[in-house]
Amino acid sequence: MKVYGAIVDNETRCTHYHTEKDIIAIKFKCCNRYYPCYKCHEEDADHTIERWPQDQFDELAILCGSCQTELSIHAYMHKDNCPHCKATFNERCAAHYPIYFE
């Protein structure tokens, strides 16, 4: 799966967010491209971010950087770790949900 932006390793960490737990990428609704974060999208894309509407939260739009499994938005929002490989996600990412999701 191709991930765009300022990536620093093979688990989708970027120059903006690169702690041990920063291992997800988000498929942006506006361009159908995976980015590690909104800052990477802003630097790379030539358009504004379009948020995922709630009625599309079953879409596969989250990529676990540890095992490359795609998760639905619902599955991601209700888990602290990947249901496939059990890698722990950064719980502080929830603060950015309003940027990505309605």
Side-chain angles (χ1 to χ4, degrees), residues 2 4 8 12 19 28 32 34 46 53-54 64 68 74-75 82 85 89:
K2 175 118 172 99
Y4 297 83
V8 298
T12 74
T19 70
F28 281 74
N32 205 38
Y34 275 105
D46 60 357
Q54 285 184 352
C64 174
Q68 306 300 303
H74 270 176
C82 176
C85 73
F89 298 147

Side-chain angles (χ1 to χ4, degrees), residues 71-82:
L71 309 172
S72 72
I73 297 166
H74 270 176
Y76 168 68
M77 292 175 99
H78 295 98
K79 294 283 185 184
D80 293 331
N81 60 357
C82 176

